[in-house]
Amino acid sequence: MKKVVKFGGSSLASAEQFVKVGNIIHEDEDRKFVVPSAPGKRFDEDTKVTDMLYACYALAERDHSFNAEMAQIEKRYQEIIDGLKIDLDLSTEFDKIIDNFKKKEGPNYAASRGEYLNGIIMAKYLGYEFVDPVEAIRFNEAGVFDAEMTQKLLSKRLENVERAVIPGFYGAMEDGKVVTFSRGGSDITGSIVAKAIQADVYENWTDVSGFLIADPHIIDNPESIDTITYGELRELSYMGATVLHEDAIFPVRKEGIPINIRNTNRPDDEGTWIVGHTCKKAKYTITGIAGKKGFASVSIEKDMMNSEVGFGRKVLQVFEEYDISFEHMPSGIDTLSVMVHQSEFADKEQNILSGINKAVSPDSIEIQSDLALIAVVGRCMKSQRGTAARIFAALSHANVNVRMIDQGSSEQNIIIGVENEDFETAIKAVYTIFVDTRI
Ligand code: ASP
């Protein structure tokens, strides 16, 4: 068996955390490929090393002195090295980094050093080979991740490697220029490595024991999810459930490699299993609830719209011209609404309205702002009678006015639009009706 184990920033924030991680790795022979993040927060008001690096580079870019800030970063690593009592000197690495900051290598390069240095420490601590992702995780000239080339290069690079540490979060273009994924992107690296070595499991170690049914900021002590499918997870993470980067599913999904979310601070917890298919029924009809605030809808009305071929395309083309992606598009016979992110839409609003007027000459256009979208997700909803009825009854009893309803064609989610101010109440009502009543 081969396992890829990715450890998040809080799991590697101090020497003490490194020791926990070392124990977890040594406990299981199969944990052969390790993907570390940069040191994260040691306590609530602490700063992640990635953020320290961005701030430090911002000074370098403006030709300001950054000695004090860099010294703080060096101190974070030195404390880990001292705490682990390993024989490692990072001073030449820091000289090189300082030099490259002065040469203005770019913010991507700067941020990537967090994972790079943590990878060097981890490899030394474990006695594993260090593999720099610059060699094998490839981005194209436009800075977009090149999955195909990466698979080729990385599987070849790791072919005869027994055990290795591969830092998360970054790769490089063909010319060696470093590119990072978006924030939290070490999750993606873990998934890419799992695919490249055809791992049996991708373990993602963090500071919670898996996914929760709903956001703990809204629901007190929500129950956790033991098994979830990639499809369900995709819906939930797209709608704001954090824990795993939303793009981390893609590399392993096709390969059918399961992801196991685990807690470094509670290693005996089973965590959440993310799988392709499962015969396991979820404990409740719904698997999870997630949502986001800050949407606007543009509702268009025109008599006989239904029979006007190309109407929808013409409307969407206007949004495309202004580079606005749409989230949902519920339609009636003579009406059509386009839901968009309010923050993206606001600046271009008047241009888009006049574009729609020109393109389809509607009878009326109405804009609603400050909407929230809530996704109620569950693979078991499809075969369960009355799920929608229960959701909407619960919302009505909680005095929540529903502004939009959309059921995904996979029938594993129901999206509900409500006013921003009803967001928390709506989530509580749905959670209560399914989880607290245990059905
Ligand atoms: N260190 C990076 C961040 O803070 C990437 C990661 O931790 O996954 O976003």
Side-chain angles (χ1 to χ4, degrees), residues 37-38 48 50 115 169 183-187:
S37 279
K48 292 178 172 191
T50 309
E115 271 66 13
F169 192 38
R183 296 300 302 266
S186 299
D187 287 340

Short mmCIF file of all heavy atoms in Angstrom, two decimals, residues 37-38 48 50 115 169 183-187, ligand 1:
data_model
loop_
_atom_site.label_atom_id
_atom_site.label_comp_id
_atom_site.label_asym_id
_atom_site.label_seq_id
_atom_site.Cartn_x
_atom_site.Cartn_y
_atom_site.Cartn_z
N SER A 37 2.57 21.77 4.25
CA SER A 37 2.27 23.19 4.07
C SER A 37 3.38 23.99 4.74
O SER A 37 4.25 23.42 5.40
CB SER A 37 0.96 23.57 4.76
OG SER A 37 -0.14 23.23 4.00
N ALA A 38 3.28 25.31 4.67
CA ALA A 38 4.19 26.18 5.44
C ALA A 38 3.68 26.25 6.88
O ALA A 38 2.51 25.98 7.13
CB ALA A 38 4.17 27.57 4.81
N LYS A 48 0.49 33.37 9.83
CA LYS A 48 1.02 32.26 9.05
C LYS A 48 2.30 32.70 8.35
O LYS A 48 2.38 33.85 7.88
CB LYS A 48 0.03 31.88 7.94
CG LYS A 48 -1.26 31.27 8.40
CD LYS A 48 -2.11 31.02 7.16
CE LYS A 48 -3.35 30.23 7.51
NZ LYS A 48 -4.04 29.76 6.32
N THR A 50 3.23 32.03 5.41
CA THR A 50 2.90 32.47 4.05
C THR A 50 2.55 33.96 4.04
O THR A 50 3.00 34.71 3.16
CB THR A 50 1.70 31.66 3.48
OG1 THR A 50 1.98 30.28 3.66
CG2 THR A 50 1.45 31.95 2.02
N GLU A 115 6.60 26.73 2.04
CA GLU A 115 6.49 25.28 1.88
C GLU A 115 7.87 24.68 1.60
O GLU A 115 8.21 23.61 2.09
CB GLU A 115 5.55 24.95 0.72
CG GLU A 115 4.07 24.81 1.03
CD GLU A 115 3.38 26.10 1.48
OE1 GLU A 115 3.97 27.18 1.34
OE2 GLU A 115 2.26 26.00 2.00
N PHE A 169 1.72 23.52 -2.56
CA PHE A 169 1.38 24.90 -2.91
C PHE A 169 2.00 25.44 -4.19
O PHE A 169 1.51 26.40 -4.74
CB PHE A 169 1.73 25.81 -1.73
CG PHE A 169 1.20 27.22 -1.77
CD1 PHE A 169 -0.07 27.52 -2.27
CD2 PHE A 169 1.95 28.27 -1.26
CE1 PHE A 169 -0.57 28.81 -2.26
CE2 PHE A 169 1.47 29.58 -1.25
CZ PHE A 169 0.22 29.85 -1.76
N ARG A 183 -4.64 30.24 -2.48
CA ARG A 183 -4.41 29.97 -1.06
C ARG A 183 -5.02 28.63 -0.64
O ARG A 183 -6.08 28.24 -1.11
CB ARG A 183 -5.01 31.09 -0.19
CG ARG A 183 -4.36 32.44 -0.38
CD ARG A 183 -2.88 32.47 -0.06
NE ARG A 183 -2.51 32.07 1.29
CZ ARG A 183 -2.31 32.89 2.31
NH1 ARG A 183 -2.51 34.17 2.16
NH2 ARG A 183 -1.92 32.43 3.49
N GLY A 184 -4.32 27.94 0.23
CA GLY A 184 -4.77 26.62 0.66
C GLY A 184 -4.40 25.53 -0.36
O GLY A 184 -4.84 24.38 -0.27
N GLY A 185 -3.57 25.90 -1.33
CA GLY A 185 -3.31 25.03 -2.48
C GLY A 185 -2.46 23.80 -2.21
O GLY A 185 -2.32 22.94 -3.10
N SER A 186 -1.91 23.64 -1.00
CA SER A 186 -1.16 22.41 -0.73
C SER A 186 -2.07 21.18 -0.81
O SER A 186 -1.61 20.08 -1.10
CB SER A 186 -0.52 22.46 0.66
OG SER A 186 0.37 23.53 0.73
N ASP A 187 -3.36 21.39 -0.56
CA ASP A 187 -4.33 20.29 -0.73
C ASP A 187 -4.29 19.76 -2.16
O ASP A 187 -4.46 18.57 -2.40
CB ASP A 187 -5.76 20.80 -0.47
CG ASP A 187 -6.04 21.06 0.99
OD1 ASP A 187 -5.32 20.52 1.84
OD2 ASP A 187 -7.00 21.81 1.27
N1 ASP B 1 0.64 28.01 2.78
C1 ASP B 1 -0.35 28.27 1.79
C2 ASP B 1 -1.46 29.12 2.38
O1 ASP B 1 -1.39 29.58 3.50
C3 ASP B 1 -0.84 27.02 1.14
C4 ASP B 1 -1.43 25.99 2.06
O2 ASP B 1 -1.26 26.03 3.26
O3 ASP B 1 -2.10 25.10 1.56
O4 ASP B 1 -2.43 29.37 1.71
#
